[in-house]
Amino acid sequence: AERIIRWKYALELWTREYSWSNKFFGKGFDYQDKYGQKFYPDEDRIDYPHNPIISSFLYAGLLGGLFYIYFLILSLIYYWRYRKHHMLLFILYLLTFTFVFISSNSHFNVPVFAMLSLVPFITRYMVKEKELENPA
């Protein structure tokens, strides 16, 4: 319930306080101050929605949020495509994915998740390079 309240507050910020340009390009990390004021009595404390997708829409707007979703979908597609190469890493990615999306603010808050996100792209690059070297 606590997370859902935070996610609803993100929608409230988005609809009430963001201009059209903020909605498209984002407003930086200003939302963290507003979250701190909303959820804690200490005015100097910052907080966040505990979901990196929502956070990406708040700090980078539609442009950045949609790009982030595209990146995540592409990493899942590539993991699935190259699953025989990295099944264990794919499982670890899914586990950290679950953790990150209910408790993190950014893709980079959990460094192992950021690294695991890059593995399928590196694998794709290496497979493509090998195909170029050895055409069928």
Side-chain angles (χ1 to χ4, degrees):
E2 182 73 23
R3 299 291 191 252
I4 293 171
I5 291 169
R6 290 168 187 276
W7 299 345
K8 285 181 181 180
Y9 183 63
L11 182 61
E12 183 181 320
L13 280 175
W14 178 268
T15 56
R16 291 187 184 167
E17 297 195 23
Y18 276 44
S19 66
W20 284 105
S21 64
N22 293 146
K23 288 178 183 177
F24 190 73
F25 295 111
K27 199 174 177 182
F29 291 97
D30 293 348
Y31 70 92
Q32 292 179 332
D33 293 329
K34 293 188 184 299
Y35 263 85
Q37 293 166 5
K38 170 83 174 174
F39 293 102
Y40 296 102
D42 182 5
E43 289 184 18
D44 294 331
R45 187 156 180 190
I46 62 169
D47 200 21
Y48 49 89
H50 293 268
N51 182 306
I53 292 177
I54 293 172
S55 292
S56 69
F57 278 95
L58 290 174
Y59 68 76
L62 280 171
L63 193 64
L66 291 175
F67 180 77
Y68 184 57
I69 290 172
Y70 172 73
F71 170 77
L72 291 173
I73 290 170
L74 206 55
S75 66
L76 286 169
I77 289 169
Y78 289 159
Y79 257 122
W80 184 252
R81 187 176 293 166
Y82 302 113
R83 65 188 175 275
K84 65 182 174 184
H85 297 284
H86 301 299
M87 184 52 80
L88 178 61
L89 293 175
F90 184 36
I91 291 167
L92 291 172
Y93 176 80
L94 293 174
L95 288 171
T96 57
F97 184 93
T98 304
F99 169 74
V100 164
F101 282 86
I102 58 172
S103 64
S104 185
N105 183 42
S106 162
H107 187 83
F108 303 103
N109 280 26
V110 181
V112 72
F113 181 66
M115 295 301 294
L116 287 170
S117 296
L118 296 177
V119 167
F121 292 95
I122 295 168
T123 303
R124 180 177 185 270
Y125 173 77
M126 291 171 63
V127 166
K128 294 290 183 187
E129 282 292 312
K130 190 176 268 190
E131 288 174 358
L132 288 174
E133 290 175 3
N134 305 320

